[in-house]
Amino acid sequence: MQQALRVLEQHDRGHQHKGHHGGHALAPFPKRAYANQQAGQQQRCAIGRALVKNPGLLLCDEPTGALDYKTSKEILALMEQVNRDYGCTIVIVTHNMQQAARIADYTAFFNLKAVGQPGHLEYFTDTTTMFNNPQNEEAERYVSGRFG
């Protein structure tokens, strides 16, 4: 737990908010139930809980999907810090191509052929190749916006 709080504290030092009361990233809402916290605080809390066991892999499904742009950037910065400082591999599932292009080292494109059918891995490569010169027609159509 101490490691998780250290990550949140270190991240928060660089992201002071109006009305922030210091301490770690959860400090502004120390007595609020999880369900009553703002979405960004809930994400920080979820990341902290996930780090308690010191995992080698963190799987995040649409971690910023319900957040505004500013809070999304803060959460992604926190995730980058976790990756850098603790060597934790982070897998992010997202439909947000700009987010994937900004944060990912590698990108996988999964294709769902029909609703209710399992999808499959269509293409996997480094992120620069995925967005600048994909070697897969389906992936190229998707990242260029010509999909469907």
Side-chain angles (χ1 to χ4, degrees):
M1 183 65 168
Q2 291 301 319
Q3 176 186 3
L5 290 177
R6 272 196 310 276
V7 168
L8 295 172
E9 287 170 357
Q10 290 169 356
H11 171 75
D12 204 46
R13 279 187 206 122
H15 296 86
Q16 295 297 319
H17 304 286
K18 186 176 182 182
H20 185 78
H21 302 292
H24 57 77
L26 301 177
F29 308 104
K31 295 181 181 178
R32 281 195 188 172
Y34 178 80
N36 295 330
Q37 293 176 356
Q38 296 173 350
Q41 291 297 343
Q42 289 179 348
Q43 289 300 78
R44 287 179 183 85
C45 200
I47 291 168
R49 282 195 321 264
L51 293 174
V52 168
K53 297 275 187 173
N54 196 23
L57 176 71
L58 194 59
L59 177 60
C60 304
D61 186 7
E62 298 284 357
T64 61
L67 305 177
D68 61 64
Y69 179 76
K70 181 179 181 228
T71 306
S72 292
K73 283 181 61 175
E74 292 172 2
I75 293 299
L76 292 173
L78 174 60
M79 294 170 75
E80 286 178 316
Q81 179 183 351
V82 167
N83 172 260
R84 182 181 58 252
D85 293 351
Y86 297 97
C88 181
T89 298
I90 301 175
V91 176
I92 299 175
V93 177
T94 184
H95 293 91
N96 185 328
M97 294 293 99
Q98 292 83 14
Q99 185 181 88
R102 251 190 339 267
I103 193 170
D105 294 325
Y106 293 92
T107 304
F109 173 66
F110 286 84
N111 197 352
L112 179 64
K113 294 290 183 184
V115 175
Q117 299 296 314
H120 66 279
L121 176 62
E122 187 79 41
Y123 184 54
F124 176 80
T125 189
D126 64 277
T127 299
T128 301
T129 300
M130 177 68 79
F131 290 96
N132 294 327
N133 190 26
Q135 303 298 306
N136 175 279
E137 184 179 341
E138 293 293 319
E140 192 277 330
R141 288 176 57 221
Y142 190 79
V143 298
S144 69
R146 296 180 291 135
F147 191 75

